[in-house]
Structure formats: C-alpha cells, structure tokens
Amino acid sequence: MAEFVMPKLGADMTAGTLVAWLKQPGDIVERGDIVAQVETDKGVIDVEIFASGVLEKLFVQPGEKVPVGTVLATVTASDTGSAAPTIPRASQGIAAATVATTTPAAVGPPAASAPSAAARPGTSSAARMRMSPSARRLARERGVDPTQLAGSGPAGAITREDILQAAPAQAAPRDTTIPPPSPAAVGPASGPSDQRARMRAVIAAAMSRSKREIPHYYLSNQVDLERAVTWLAEQNRQRAVTQRLLIGVLFLKAVALALREVPELNALWNGSAAEPISAIHVGAAIALRQGGLVAPALHHTDQQSLDDLMRKFRDLVARARAGALRSSELSDPTITVTSLGEQGVDAVYGIIYPPQVALVGFGKVVERPWVVGGQVEVRHVVETTLSADHRVTDGHRGATFLAALERILQEPEKL
Amino acid sequence: MNASELRSQVLTILGDIAPEADLSCIAPDKSLRDQIDIDSMDLLNFVIALHERLHVDIPEADYPQLATLDGCLRYLSAAIPMSG
C-alpha cells in the first residue's frame, strides 16, 4: 500500500488546501495520473500520483487545509505489476506526493510516465481557449471541462455564466461520494488581487530566506552568440511557423549540457549539505501576466531535442499563465534559468531559489563591437551570469560552468 | 475579408494571448510589446495563430513589421486577399 500525501510544492510551503479529487475510491490510477488539485499560494496545482494501483480511501475532503506530508489517500498496488510505488524525491528536501510504505525507496524521474498535458482538460487545449482567468478558475473549482463548452461571450469566449450553467450537467455523471467543492468550501475564495498578494508573500519569504541563508557569489561572462543567432535564423527560415525555435530554448539546453560538466551546481541543499541530483530538471522562470513568477521544471532537459524542448516549453508557458501546472513541475527543478533580456536588461544577478544551489541568468542579445582575429566586427552578444551557493561550490567551479556554457553555445547544431 | 474583419481577427488573437489586456485602449501606432507586455513566446503564438486562422506565413525576418497594430494590419493587408 502507498500513501498519497500533501506534496511540498515550494521551498516555504507548509500546508495546502485540497480543492478537488479528480479520482474516486475504486478508480484505477497509473503513476503520473493527476488525482487531485491543491491550492497553494502559487495557485491551484494539479497533483500527480507516483504509484500505480487502485485508489482505496480518501482521508481529506475538498476545502480542508492540511500540512505538507499529511496523508490524503491510500493506494493499493495493482495486480498488473506496473510501476511500484516509489519515493521520487523524499531524500532531496522536497516531498514527493506519494510515499511508499511497503517497498524500498527508489529515486527516479517522477514525471516520466505522465500523460501528455494536451490529453486532459484544463491544460493546453483549455489554455488556448478564449476565457478569462476567473472563468478558468471557476471551471476548475466546479469540475467543468471547458473544452466541451461553446462560449457565449465575445468571439466565442467562455464566460463564468457558461461554466455555472454547465456545472450541474457535467458534474452529474461523476461519483458523488465526495461532493464537488463549493467556492466557500474551497476556503480562500480569493480574487486575483488576493492571489497576487499571496504569491508576492511566498516569493518574499523564499527570497528573504535565500538571502539570509545562502552565501551567494556571482559571476558573469559575455558570450559571442553570432553562430547561435545565425544558425537559429537559418533553422527558422526553413521551418514551418509552428516548428520555429526561440533562442531561449537554446539557452535552456546549453545550461543543461554545461551542468553535466559541473554537476555540483545541479544539487539541492538538505539543510546541512548539498545532495547532487543525477537528473537535470531545469526550472524556467516564467513571468505571469497578473504579476508574480513561477519556475516550473522541464524534466530531463539535457536529454531533450531542441524540438521537444521547444514544444514542452511552449506548453509550460501556456499552462503556467493559465494556472494549470503540475505538482512535479513545481517540486522538481534542480536549477533555475531566468532571462530578462526581452525587457532590455544587460545582465541578471538572480537570487537562488532554495533548496537549489545555483541560478543562471541571460541578458539581452545585442549587437556589439567584438574583436575577432584582431579585427573589430559587429557580433551578437549575450551576458550570461551565475548565482551560486558558496557553501557548495567555489568561484573556480562556477567559472568552469560559465566557460562550458560559452563553448556549448558556439556549436548550436550539436544542441 | 475586409479591413474591419481583419482588425477584428487580429484583436481576437491578441485577446487570446493577453486575456487580461484592455484591447480597446491599444494605440495603433504604439508598440504592442510595450502596451500589452508580449514577449517572444507570445509573438510566436501570435504568428502561429495568424497562420492557422488567416493562412498567412510570416517569415521571422518580417516580425519587426508586426510591432504595432497598424503595422500588423498593413502587413496582413498586403499578404492576404482583401475585399472592400
């Protein structure tokens, strides 16, 4: 039997509110299935399960706020012998959503078998629909699949009224053992401004803790990006519009590959020491339109092709802005990459997101005079930066990382 | 498609990308990036949506011509058959 627990979805998360169960007792669940939605200060998060079997018993009802680690449900192992329950991140300072009680712990990539986001409501397909954030939130709260609705608003937009009208009809076929939560039951019936304020508070707490506890050191390096920019322009010239790449995806992949050479930076601080992480899950900082910031993981970034990374990054940005991230995406990053170049910033000296031990920044890609073979040429240049935890690495290793990043960016065709 | 329909289509797509933006306040000759805070991912999504809805392929080299609403409408008017 395995226990499905309230996950820790951020460095300073201590409790979460169960918004809804998406599976009911008796349902068969597969590792990676989304079984519940949890409200945190970063919004409503889809929580995946990391064991396969039959959902046996629910211990927490929608609307209840419980501490991280509280058992929400139990899962009995399936007869099919599919993936045994594991503890994906239990030793890494970030709680996994499922804790095995009968099998030895194993560390593994928790989202490897996760279903594609496009296959379920509330993510990609829903994200592309025209609907306001409040209607999107209401759909989640009422368990309404907006992809099944015809919008009555301007240009077919789905309105809150559409959701409210559809709620009883769509809710009817569901198992009513656990009633869908009412807005009041969900607890913090927060509006967008409340949510923004709460997210701001969470960011403030995490960043204050980081600056208080982590002795940062900072390095920067100006990188000749001419080859990468030229290669990318040629690639995009040949590609269909839907297949084009962004320079940011090259940055993400290059960081992941450079981490293979300086793996000490791909680690999590457990309170007394850094634990190296074998899997490289780069967290991509994404600014939210309503304010605030999330940095969800692109799992196994180093192993993805640029095309796969681009597709997943595009999906991740859409879901981050639609409030449809998954628990593993918030709990799994092993390093964060941030880019503020589009705002015209030359360089970013970021604050490490604990328990990570490093953050990589990219500034604006600009044309600058650059000396090549004794001649001054106009080249595209970007300033890369590293913020790193001095308890874990020294400047020499940090410099080695930035040098590796520069070298890797000189061969974009190998990314 | 006439100019009014084209403008409506473009604004609809922008509304999908930036649902929180008040599109009625957009100054047609001012930078869309500055007014509704679109980034490179949003711009790519905008170009993809134009491709899917209006069947127009916009090379990356032409992206600067889409910097303002007026620029978009000018570019698209020349790229797709227009009536009226």
Side-chain angles (χ1 to χ4, degrees):
Chain A
M1 180 177 298
E3 293 175 342
F4 176 65
V5 304
M6 174 62 72
K8 187 176 179 72
L9 301 172
D12 291 287
M13 176 176 165
T14 56
T17 301
L18 181 74
V19 173
W21 285 107
L22 304 183
K23 299 283 186 182
Q24 300 299 328
D27 285 354
I28 295 172
V29 294
E30 293 288 333
R31 177 186 165 98
D33 281 355
I34 295 165
V35 298
Q37 291 180 319
V38 166
E39 181 165 25
T40 73
D41 292 325
K42 290 197 170 184
V44 176
I45 306 300
D46 292 338
V47 182
E48 300 141 289
I49 197 163
F50 297 113
S52 299
V54 177
L55 198 62
E56 190 181 67
K57 191 170 182 181
L58 309 181
F59 296 102
V60 176
Q61 304 305 314
E64 286 187 55
K65 185 172 186 176
V66 296
V68 166
T70 300
V71 177
L72 303 177
T74 50
V75 180
T76 52
S78 63
D79 295 330
T80 59
S82 58
T86 60
I87 304 179
R89 299 285 299 278
S91 65
Q92 297 168 10
I94 295 178
T98 310
V99 177
T101 56
T102 59
T103 55
V107 175
S113 62
S116 73
R120 64 189 178 86
T123 57
S124 294
S125 56
R128 283 194 292 273
M129 288 185 309
R130 187 169 175 79
M131 64 190 294
S132 69
S134 68
R136 212 179 288 276
R137 189 162 45 248
L138 186 62
R140 277 198 303 271
E141 291 171 357
R142 298 298 175 94
V144 172
D145 179 358
T147 62
Q148 304 301 312
L149 303 181
S152 64
I158 294 170
T159 64
R160 287 177 60 86
E161 288 67 33
D162 294 332
I163 301 295
L164 290 170
Q165 284 183 6
Q170 282 200 14
R174 295 182 57 174
D175 185 334
T176 52
T177 307
I178 304 295
S182 67
V186 169
S190 54
S193 59
D194 289 340
Q195 185 65 35
R196 277 197 297 275
R198 290 168 57 195
M199 179 178 283
R200 196 70 253 159
V202 168
I203 294 171
M207 295 299 96
S208 298
R209 177 182 155 198
S210 176
K211 274 290 189 180
R212 197 167 51 242
E213 298 180 0
I214 301 176
H216 288 63
Y217 70 87
Y218 304 96
L219 303 173
S220 70
N221 183 31
Q222 286 209 341
V223 174
D224 176 2
L225 214 55
E226 194 63 27
R227 288 190 189 89
V229 168
T230 303
W231 180 85
L232 183 65
E234 181 58 21
Q235 284 289 313
N236 284 343
R237 196 181 64 77
Q238 298 172 11
R239 288 166 176 255
V241 61
T242 52
Q243 304 300 316
R244 287 179 191 159
L245 303 170
L246 294 176
I247 191 82
V249 171
L250 274 65
F251 293 161
L252 291 167
K253 180 70 181 287
V255 165
L257 294 179
L259 283 172
R260 286 181 176 174
E261 300 185 29
V262 188
E264 308 97 292
L265 295 173
N266 193 62
L268 299 177
W269 184 260
N270 68 9
S272 57
E275 293 186 13
I277 308 298
S278 57
I280 296 173
H281 304 315
V282 173
I286 298 169
L288 303 181
R289 295 196 158 278
Q290 301 82 3
L293 176 76
V294 290
L298 285 158
H299 290 100
H300 303 286
T301 319
D302 58 324
Q303 299 173 19
Q304 310 271 344
S305 68
L306 286 179
D307 287 318
D308 283 346
L309 266 185
M310 181 66 209
R311 180 173 51 78
K312 291 176 180 176
F313 184 43
R314 190 170 168 231
D315 174 60
L316 199 62
V317 172
R319 287 190 292 110
R321 290 177 174 166
L325 289 174
R326 293 165 168 232
S327 53
S328 64
E329 290 164 342
L330 285 178
S331 63
D332 284 356
T334 53
I335 192 169
T336 296
V337 170
T338 184
S339 173
L340 291 174
E342 296 197 34
Q343 282 69 43
V345 164
D346 286 334
V348 188
Y349 296 92
I351 300 174
I352 299 165
Y353 189 70
Q356 297 166 32
V357 300
L359 178 145
V360 181
F362 289 88
K364 186 179 185 181
V365 178
V366 291
E367 289 183 308
R368 292 200 190 285
W370 194 261
V371 178
V372 180
Q375 302 292 316
V376 177
E377 296 182 7
V378 176
R379 312 279 279 200
H380 285 91
V381 173
V382 69
E383 185 149 353
T384 63
T385 57
L386 173 70
S387 308
D389 186 336
H390 219 326
R391 297 171 300 184
V392 182
T393 58
D394 299 322
H396 180 264
R397 292 301 283 162
T400 302
F401 171 82
L402 286 184
L405 182 59
E406 177 176 12
R407 175 170 42 75
I408 289 166
L409 284 169
Q410 302 313 305
E411 297 182 307
E413 68 282 357
K414 292 184 179 177
L415 287 172
Chain B
M1 180 177 290
N2 60 36
S4 173
E5 290 167 339
L6 177 62
R7 181 186 173 88
S8 173
Q9 284 272 14
V10 169
L11 289 175
T12 297
I13 294 170
L14 288 174
D16 290 343
I17 290 170
E20 79 293 347
D22 183 356
L23 299 179
S24 64
C25 294
I26 286 183
D29 58 341
K30 297 282 195 312
S31 162
L32 287 172
R33 181 182 293 260
D34 292 344
Q35 293 183 84
I36 58 174
D37 194 23
I38 59 174
D39 58 20
S40 56
M41 184 66 83
D42 295 326
L43 180 59
L44 179 59
N45 286 333
F46 180 56
V47 171
I48 289 173
L50 290 172
H51 167 77
E52 290 174 345
R53 297 190 200 182
L54 304 179
H55 310 292
V56 55
D57 279 324
I58 304 175
E60 202 175 46
D62 289 349
Y63 286 1
Q65 297 183 52
L66 310 178
T68 66
L69 180 58
D70 277 350
C72 285
L73 298 176
R74 235 183 346 261
Y75 182 91
L76 293 169
S77 297
I80 60 179
M82 298 292 289
S83 62

